[in-house]
Amino acid sequence: MALTPYQQLEQEFRRLHAFRSAASLLRWDSAVMMPRGSSELRGEQLAALETESHSLVTSPRVSRLLDRAEANLQGLEDWQQANLKEMRRERDHAIATPQNLVSRLAKATARAEIKWIEARQKSDFSLFAPHLEEVAVLVRNKADLLGKALKLDPYDALLDEFSPGMTSAEIDAIFTTLGRRLPSLIQEAIDTQAKHAPLEITGKFSASKQRHLATELMKTMGFPFDRGRLDESEHPFTGGIPGDIRITTRFNPTDPLTGLMGVLHETGHAMYDVGLPEQWRGQPVGRDRGMAMQESQSLLLEMLICRNRPFLRYMKPLMEKAFGVAGPEWEVENLYRLLTRVRRSLIRVDADEVTYPVHILLRYELEQEILKGELKIRDLPEAWNTRMGDRLGVKPANDAEGCLQDVHWAVGSFGYFPSYAIGAVIAGQLYESLRSERPQLDEEIAAGQFGGLFDWLRQNVHSLAASVSTPDLIRNATGKPLSAAAWLRYIEGKYLEL
Amino acid sequence: MALTPYQQLEQEFRRLHAFRSAASLLRWDSAVMMPRGSSELRGEQLAALETESHSLVTSPRVSRLLDRAEANLQGLEDWQQANLKEMRRERDHAIATPQNLVSRLAKATARAEIKWIEARQKSDFSLFAPHLEEVAVLVRNKADLLGKALKLDPYDALLDEFSPGMTSAEIDAIFTTLGRRLPSLIQEAIDTQAKHAPLEITGKFSASKQRHLATELMKTMGFPFDRGRLDESEHPFTGGIPGDIRITTRFNPTDPLTGLMGVLHETGHAMYDVGLPEQWRGQPVGRDRGMAMQESQSLLLEMLICRNRPFLRYMKPLMEKAFGVAGPEWEVENLYRLLTRVRRSLIRVDADEVTYPVHILLRYELEQEILKGELKIRDLPEAWNTRMGDRLGVKPANDAEGCLQDVHWAVGSFGYFPSYAIGAVIAGQLYESLRSERPQLDEEIAAGQFGGLFDWLRQNVHSLAASVSTPDLIRNATGKPLSAAAWLRYIEGKYLEL
C-alpha cells in the first residue's frame, strides 16, 4: 500500500534523526575519547552530516510532502498533528537561511572560536573583535531572513530556535521584574548569610571516590546505566541520544561538592531525555522542548532539590561513607551553607543561583544592542565592565573575566543566553506546583526517594516532549503563564530566612 | 564553473565516506563504550546509515555520472582513473544485490547470529542449523546475482568483495600446494620442537602494566597516539578511520604474551591505515586493498617480525622492566619457543602459524560445497569433524570446538575465510622481498628501529591503497605473482631449524 504524505515525512525525519544521532555520538566522542590530532577530520565528518541534514530538511520533496500532509489532516492523531507542526517549524527555520549563508556562518564561527580561545588566554579583546564583528554581521543577516520567514522580530526568530514559542516580550517582562528585585535581594541575602559563615571543606578526594558516589546517586535517581554512561571531560555536558545518554563532568580533587553538583545538574538534563516518550523517538515531536525547558530540568534538580536541606540530609551519610570523613564541616547545615553561598562574582558559570540572572540580563541586553547595531563591537568591553559594575557591584580587571568569558557569541549563539535564566524561572514555577501537589516531597527526598519527583516531572513535562510550545507546556504544568513570581518566592524563602 | 562528472562523483563518494566513517566510529563505540541496553538502538542507527550508503551508491545519479565520466577520461590523472574504477566496482557490487535481498539477508543474519551464540554456548548445532540454512540460501542467491553482474563465478564474486581481484583459481593453486606440504611439515616442526620444550611463564601481570608496555611498543613503531587510541574489548580489532584509528585488545592477567601479540597484530593493521595516502582520503581509491592485504600486514608484523628472535632481543629488557621479572623463562630463546609452538589444535583463532592454514583450507572447501548445495547443512558437523581428523589429526569433542566456533557463516561472510591464509602467504612473499632489499632488517628490529620496515611497507603496499588489484599489488611489490613458495621457505627456515 502506498504511504500517505505524512507517513513519508515520518520516514524522511527518521533518516534525519539517524544523521543527527550519529553526529551527537561523534560530538560526545570528540569531547571524551577522541585523540586531539583527529579534531580537524572530526570537524569534516560533522560538517558532512550537518550538510546532509540541512539538505534533507530543505529538500523540495519535504516541502511538497508538508504541503500535501497539511492539506489533509484527517486520520492523523493529535501527536501526529503536533509532529507535522514541528516538521514544518524545522523546515521553515532551515530553509530561511540560504546554504551560502549557512556555510559562511560555519566558517566565520570556526575562525572566531579559535581566535576567542587565544584572545581569552591573552585577555586581549582586540584579537577577537574583528571576528566577532564578522559573526555579528552574518547573524544579523540570518535573524532578518529568519524573522521575515517566521513573521517574527529578528531577535525573536533567534530565540525561537532555542526555546520554541518564547518571545522577547515575555522575556522582557520577566527580566524587568528580576532586574527590579534582584539588586536589593542580593544584598539582603548576603547580609543574612554574613551572620553564619560556613566552615570550609579541606582535604583530598580522589576522582574515583567522587565518581563512585556520583554513580550511586545517579542510580538512586533512576538514571539507566544500561542505557547511558558517566564520563569526564573538560566541560560537563549531557550528550548522546535518548536511549544512550552520555553524561560528563569534571572532578576537582580538593572540592568534592562542585563535581557532584555538576553531575546532578547533568542528571536533570538526562532524566528529561529518559522521560521523552519512546514511541515518538526519532520524530521532531519526540525531542525535548528546547534549551529553556532543558535548563529548567537541570536547575530544578541541582538548585532546588539538591542544594537544599532534605537532599543534604540524605546525602550526608553517603558522603561520610564515600570519603571516610566526619566533623562539623560535614554537617547538613554547613553543607547547605556552602552550597547556597551568595557572592558578587564575575564569572557566570561559577555564579550562585541568586546572582546568576544578573549575568544573563547583562548579556541579553548587550546582544540585542549588538544585533541592532546600537552597540559597536569595539565598545563592548567598556559597556560590559560599566554595566557589570552598575548591576552587580563588581568590575572585571580584564576582558578574560569580562566580555571574553563565554564562547556563545563566538559560535554565533545569539538568543541562547536568556534560556539559562528563563530555565531557572521555569524551574521555580514548576517547583511550586510540584510541592503543592506533593506535600510529602521533602520527606521523600530526605529518604532518598526520587520516584515521586520524577513521576511528576515525567507526567507534566517530559512526556509532552515537543508536542506543545514552551509557554503552553508551562501553563499546562502549573496552571499559570510563566512569570518570575514563583521563582522569587522560592529565592526569598531560601535566602532571606536561615 | 560547473563540476565535471568525475568531480561530482568525488563529491558523492565523499558523502558516502562521511556516512561510513560515522558508522565505523559507532561500531567502535558499540564494542568499547556503549552501554549494553543501547544495542538495539545502535543497530537501528547503523542500519539507517547503511541504507543511506547503499542508496547513494546505487542511485541513478551515480550510475549516470559513472557512464559520463568513463566516456571521457581526458584530463584525469592515473589515481583519478583508478578511483573511477573503484567507484564502478563499488557501484556494480552494490547494485547487483537488490535492496529486498539486502534487507532479507540483514534480518536473517541478525537472527542467525543470535542463534549461533546460543548454539555455541550449548554446543547444540541443531539450534543453529535452520538459520544457517536460511542464510546459505540467501547468500547463494546473492552470489549468483553478483556473479552474473561481475561476470565471475558465484564464489569468485563473493571473494571479490573481500579481496578484490583474487579468484578461486589462484587460491586453489596456493591451497593445493599448502595442502600437500603442510601435513608433513607440521609433523616435522612438532618433532623438531619436541627436543626443546620451553619453560612456561607463571605469575600475575596487571592489565595496566601490559597496557603500558603495549603502548610503549606501539609508540616505538610509529603508531600516532595523537590520531588513535588503544582500548580493551571482548574481541580485539582495529576500527575507527584513517586519521583516527582505534585499536582494541584483551589482556589476560596470567598470560602477558597473548595480549601483547594481539596488540602487535592490530598495530600491523593500523600502520597500513596510517600509511594510506592522505590526499586520497574519503575516496574509494584511498582505502586499503581488502581483507587479504590487511591480514598480510597484521600477520607480517605479528608473526614474521615480532614472533622472531631479533624482536624478542629488543623486547626482553622492556618486558623485564615492565613486569619486574627475570629468569630463564624470560630469556630470548625461551620466549621465542613459547611464541612459535606448533600444536595440533581445534580452535582457529588460537592456532599457530604453521597449522593455521589447515583450519582455513577446511573452511574454504566446506563453504564452497555448502554454496553449491553439495554439502547439506545437517551434514556439516560430521563433515567438519571427519575432515579435521583427517587433515590435522584432532577431532572436536563437540560442535562448539568444531563447526560452531566461528561467527563468519552466521553473519553471511562466505568467501572471507581464505583471506586469512592468503594474507599469511602474501606476508611471506613480502617478507622475502623486504629482507633481500633490506639485509640490515634483523639488526634494525633488534635495536628497536622500525622505520626501515614501515618505510618499505609504505612504499610498496600502503601508499598504493586501492589503486591496483590485490594480485597486481603483490606483483609490483615482489616482482612475482603470488605463490606459496616464499611463505613455505619462511616456515621451513623457522620451524625445521632450531
Side-chain angles (χ1 to χ4, degrees):
Chain A
M1 219 174 67
L3 295 179
T4 66
Y6 173 78
Q7 288 167 327
Q8 291 177 60
L9 281 168
E10 276 201 1
Q11 274 189 341
E12 289 297 307
F13 279 85
R14 248 194 303 277
R15 286 178 60 216
L16 181 68
H17 179 68
F19 299 146
R20 290 210 175 133
S21 68
S24 178
L25 264 313
L26 291 182
R27 272 193 298 272
W28 172 86
D29 183 88
S30 308
V32 183
M33 295 293 159
M34 189 185 70
R36 296 295 292 259
S38 306
S39 64
E40 201 181 318
L41 186 62
R42 179 58 52 87
E44 290 168 20
Q45 275 185 304
L46 287 171
L49 288 170
E50 186 45 51
T51 304
E52 211 60 44
S53 300
H54 188 262
S55 74
L56 191 157
V57 180
T58 58
S59 68
R61 172 172 157 77
V62 162
S63 296
R64 248 187 344 257
L65 288 170
L66 276 171
D67 291 341
R68 288 174 55 202
E70 285 163 348
N72 181 8
L73 297 175
Q74 273 187 342
L76 291 189
E77 294 177 39
D78 287 352
W79 76 267
Q80 293 172 319
Q81 298 197 23
N83 196 24
L84 200 54
K85 255 193 183 153
E86 287 305 301
M87 290 167 171
R88 161 64 68 187
R89 222 179 75 72
E90 210 169 316
R91 180 263 180 204
D92 288 353
H93 268 271
I95 216 163
T97 321
Q99 185 64 54
N100 173 30
L101 180 56
V102 171
S103 73
R104 279 169 68 204
L105 203 46
K107 279 174 204 152
T109 52
R111 277 192 301 268
E113 190 178 358
I114 289 163
K115 281 295 169 183
W116 168 75
I117 293 168
E118 193 190 338
R120 188 191 186 198
Q121 273 164 354
K122 299 184 178 162
S123 195
D124 181 355
F125 183 74
S126 70
L127 291 173
F128 178 51
H131 297 278
L132 179 56
E133 181 70 54
E134 190 188 0
V135 170
V137 168
L138 293 169
V139 170
R140 196 178 296 145
N141 193 344
K142 176 183 161 179
D144 287 341
L145 291 168
L146 211 50
K148 254 174 227 146
L150 305 176
K151 300 193 178 63
L152 288 172
D153 276 347
Y155 186 76
D156 282 11
L158 297 179
L159 283 177
D160 193 67
E161 282 198 293
F162 299 115
S163 296
M166 294 292 302
T167 62
S168 52
E170 280 170 293
I171 294 173
D172 284 345
I174 289 163
F175 283 5
T176 303
T177 309
L178 294 181
R180 277 205 205 105
R181 179 68 183 101
L182 280 177
S184 58
L185 210 167
I186 289 166
Q187 191 53 49
E188 291 162 47
I190 289 173
D191 292 344
T192 309
Q193 294 189 340
K195 301 164 208 155
H196 308 274
L199 301 166
E200 298 295 338
I201 282 173
T202 54
K204 286 263 184 186
F205 310 89
S206 74
S208 76
K209 282 181 185 165
Q210 292 191 48
R211 192 183 312 114
H212 189 267
L213 175 58
T215 303
E216 203 179 336
L217 289 169
M218 288 169 69
K219 276 186 190 155
T220 305
M221 290 183 176
F223 180 86
F225 272 99
D226 64 330
R227 283 147 199 270
R229 293 176 54 102
L230 169 65
D231 293 273
E232 282 150 69
S233 69
E234 212 182 317
H235 303 288
F237 70 98
T238 296
I241 50 172
D244 186 2
I245 298 168
R246 312 277 175 107
I247 285 184
T248 76
T249 192
R250 194 165 47 168
F251 295 116
N252 178 342
T254 63
D255 169 13
L257 296 179
T258 302
L260 208 57
M261 288 298 135
V263 169
L264 294 165
H265 182 97
E266 301 306 327
T267 302
H269 285 304
M271 293 305 286
Y272 188 0
D273 294 342
V274 167
L276 297 170
E278 232 183 289
Q279 65 277 24
W280 297 352
R281 205 175 264 172
Q283 293 299 318
V285 73
R287 287 207 285 268
D288 65 63
R289 183 70 296 179
M291 301 320 303
M293 282 316 297
Q294 271 290 3
E295 205 60 19
S296 79
Q297 298 306 292
S298 54
L299 290 174
L300 197 149
L301 191 61
E302 182 198 347
M303 296 291 177
L304 292 84
I305 301 292
C306 296
R307 291 185 189 247
N308 223 331
R309 291 187 182 93
F311 178 77
L312 295 173
R313 278 200 280 280
Y314 165 64
M315 196 173 71
K316 174 182 180 273
L318 299 180
M319 286 192 94
E320 288 175 342
K321 191 166 153 251
F323 301 131
V325 292
E329 70 271 36
W330 297 95
E331 291 302 320
V332 167
E333 203 53 28
N334 193 64
L335 291 173
Y336 178 70
R337 287 177 194 167
L338 284 170
L339 287 167
T340 55
R341 255 189 295 199
V342 179
R343 288 161 162 171
R344 300 177 188 280
S345 66
L346 292 165
I347 303 296
R348 177 184 62 84
V349 295
D350 298 333
D352 59 87
E353 65 176 330
V354 185
T355 58
Y356 191 95
V358 180
H359 295 268
I360 297 304
L361 266 57
L362 171 74
R363 286 156 177 77
Y364 177 64
E365 198 176 280
L366 291 171
E367 72 180 9
Q368 289 185 80
E369 293 175 20
I370 290 171
L371 287 180
K372 284 187 196 142
E374 294 169 4
L375 177 66
K376 295 273 166 286
I377 295 296
R378 64 167 179 273
D379 299 329
L380 175 60
E382 211 205 301
W384 183 290
N385 296 347
T386 308
R387 296 190 211 181
M388 194 69 189
D390 293 348
R391 286 174 177 282
L392 205 54
V394 284
K395 231 172 158 166
N398 56 56
D399 293 335
E401 54 182 38
C403 67
L404 283 174
Q405 67 183 270
D406 291 313
V407 72
H408 300 62
W409 292 336
V411 298
S413 290
F414 287 72
Y416 190 114
F417 279 124
S419 56
Y420 293 118
I422 295 297
V425 169
I426 296 172
Q429 190 159 327
L430 291 173
Y431 186 62
E432 196 171 81
S433 296
L434 162 64
R435 286 175 71 88
S436 79
E437 288 175 40
R438 203 165 183 89
Q440 72 278 36
L441 183 72
D442 282 355
E443 287 82 64
E444 289 177 344
I445 300 294
Q449 290 160 8
F450 299 91
L453 165 68
F454 287 115
D455 279 351
W456 191 90
L457 290 174
R458 192 161 300 132
Q459 193 181 325
N460 289 285
V461 179
H462 306 172
S463 66
L464 297 171
S467 66
V468 292
S469 74
T470 312
D472 286 351
L473 189 55
I474 295 156
R475 226 187 326 264
N476 290 348
T478 67
K480 282 171 259 175
L482 183 62
S483 87
W487 184 77
L488 280 171
R489 280 192 290 273
Y490 150 72
I491 292 289
E492 287 167 352
K494 188 171 180 179
Y495 289 89
L496 303 188
E497 298 156 24
L498 212 71
Chain B
M1 218 174 67
L3 295 178
T4 66
Y6 173 79
Q7 287 168 327
Q8 292 177 59
L9 282 168
E10 276 201 0
Q11 274 190 340
E12 290 296 308
F13 279 86
R14 246 193 304 277
R15 284 178 60 217
L16 180 69
H17 180 69
F19 299 146
R20 290 211 176 132
S21 68
S24 178
L25 263 314
L26 291 182
R27 272 193 298 272
W28 173 86
D29 183 88
S30 308
V32 184
M33 295 293 158
M34 189 185 71
R36 296 295 293 259
S38 306
S39 63
E40 201 180 317
L41 187 60
R42 179 57 52 86
E44 289 168 22
Q45 274 185 305
L46 288 171
L49 289 170
E50 186 46 52
T51 304
E52 212 59 43
S53 300
H54 188 263
S55 74
L56 192 157
V57 180
T58 58
S59 68
R61 171 171 157 77
V62 162
S63 296
R64 246 185 347 256
L65 287 170
L66 276 170
D67 291 341
R68 289 174 54 203
E70 286 163 349
N72 181 8
L73 297 175
Q74 274 188 342
L76 292 189
E77 294 177 39
D78 286 353
W79 77 268
Q80 292 172 320
Q81 298 198 22
N83 196 24
L84 199 55
K85 255 191 184 157
E86 287 305 301
M87 290 169 172
R88 162 65 67 187
R89 222 178 75 72
E90 209 169 317
R91 180 263 178 204
D92 287 353
H93 268 271
I95 217 163
T97 321
Q99 185 64 54
N100 173 31
L101 179 55
V102 171
S103 73
R104 279 169 69 206
L105 204 45
K107 280 173 202 150
T109 52
R111 279 192 300 268
E113 189 178 359
I114 290 163
K115 281 295 168 183
W116 168 75
I117 293 169
E118 193 191 339
R120 189 191 186 199
Q121 273 164 354
K122 299 184 177 163
S123 195
D124 180 354
F125 183 75
S126 71
L127 291 173
F128 178 51
H131 296 278
L132 179 57
E133 181 70 53
E134 190 187 0
V135 170
V137 168
L138 293 168
V139 170
R140 196 177 297 145
N141 193 344
K142 175 183 162 179
D144 287 341
L145 291 168
L146 210 51
K148 253 174 230 148
L150 305 176
K151 301 193 177 60
L152 289 171
D153 276 348
Y155 186 75
D156 282 12
L158 297 179
L159 282 177
D160 192 67
E161 283 198 291
F162 299 115
S163 297
M166 294 291 303
T167 62
S168 52
E170 280 171 293
I171 294 174
D172 283 345
I174 289 164
F175 282 6
T176 304
T177 309
L178 294 180
R180 278 205 205 105
R181 179 67 184 102
L182 280 176
S184 58
L185 210 166
I186 289 166
Q187 190 54 48
E188 290 162 47
I190 289 172
D191 293 344
T192 308
Q193 294 188 340
K195 300 163 209 156
H196 307 274
L199 301 166
E200 298 295 338
I201 283 174
T202 55
K204 285 262 185 187
F205 310 89
S206 74
S208 75
K209 282 181 186 167
Q210 293 191 49
R211 190 183 313 114
H212 190 267
L213 175 59
T215 303
E216 203 179 335
L217 289 169
M218 287 170 70
K219 276 186 191 157
T220 306
M221 290 182 176
F223 180 86
F225 272 100
D226 63 331
R227 282 145 200 271
R229 294 175 53 101
L230 169 65
D231 293 275
E232 281 150 71
S233 69
E234 212 181 319
H235 303 287
F237 70 99
T238 296
I241 50 172
D244 185 1
I245 299 168
R246 313 279 176 105
I247 286 184
T248 76
T249 192
R250 196 166 44 168
F251 295 115
N252 177 342
T254 62
D255 170 12
L257 295 180
T258 302
L260 207 57
M261 289 297 135
V263 169
L264 294 165
H265 182 97
E266 300 306 328
T267 301
H269 286 304
M271 293 304 287
Y272 188 1
D273 293 343
V274 167
L276 296 171
E278 233 183 288
Q279 66 277 23
W280 297 352
R281 204 176 264 172
Q283 293 299 317
V285 73
R287 288 207 284 268
D288 65 62
R289 184 68 299 178
M291 300 320 302
M293 282 315 298
Q294 270 290 3
E295 205 59 19
S296 79
Q297 298 305 293
S298 54
L299 290 174
L300 196 149
L301 190 62
E302 181 199 348
M303 296 290 177
L304 293 84
I305 301 291
C306 296
R307 291 186 190 246
N308 223 333
R309 290 185 183 94
F311 178 77
L312 295 173
R313 277 200 281 280
Y314 165 65
M315 195 172 71
K316 174 182 180 271
L318 299 179
M319 287 191 94
E320 288 175 342
K321 192 166 153 248
F323 301 132
V325 291
E329 70 272 36
W330 297 96
E331 292 302 321
V332 167
E333 203 53 29
N334 193 65
L335 292 173
Y336 178 71
R337 286 175 194 169
L338 283 170
L339 287 168
T340 55
R341 255 189 295 201
V342 179
R343 288 160 162 171
R344 301 175 186 280
S345 66
L346 292 165
I347 304 296
R348 177 184 62 84
V349 296
D350 298 332
D352 59 85
E353 64 177 328
V354 184
T355 57
Y356 191 94
V358 179
H359 295 268
I360 298 304
L361 266 57
L362 172 74
R363 287 156 176 79
Y364 177 65
E365 197 176 282
L366 291 171
E367 72 180 8
Q368 289 184 80
E369 293 175 21
I370 289 171
L371 286 180
K372 284 187 194 139
E374 294 169 5
L375 178 67
K376 296 272 167 286
I377 295 296
R378 65 166 179 274
D379 299 329
L380 175 60
E382 212 205 301
W384 182 291
N385 296 347
T386 308
R387 296 191 211 180
M388 195 69 188
D390 291 349
R391 286 175 176 281
L392 205 53
V394 285
K395 233 174 155 164
N398 56 56
D399 291 336
E401 54 182 38
C403 67
L404 283 174
Q405 67 182 270
D406 292 312
V407 71
H408 300 62
W409 292 334
V411 298
S413 290
F414 287 72
Y416 190 114
F417 279 123
S419 55
Y420 293 118
I422 296 297
V425 168
I426 296 172
Q429 190 159 326
L430 290 173
Y431 186 60
E432 196 171 81
S433 296
L434 162 63
R435 286 175 69 88
S436 80
E437 288 177 38
R438 203 165 183 88
Q440 72 278 36
L441 184 72
D442 281 355
E443 286 82 63
E444 290 178 344
I445 301 294
Q449 291 159 8
F450 298 90
L453 165 68
F454 288 115
D455 279 351
W456 191 91
L457 289 173
R458 192 161 300 133
Q459 192 182 325
N460 289 285
V461 179
H462 307 172
S463 66
L464 297 170
S467 66
V468 292
S469 74
T470 312
D472 285 351
L473 188 55
I474 295 156
R475 226 187 325 264
N476 290 348
T478 67
K480 281 171 261 177
L482 183 62
S483 87
W487 184 77
L488 281 171
R489 280 192 289 273
Y490 150 72
I491 292 289
E492 286 168 350
K494 187 170 180 179
Y495 290 90
L496 304 189
E497 297 157 23
L498 212 73

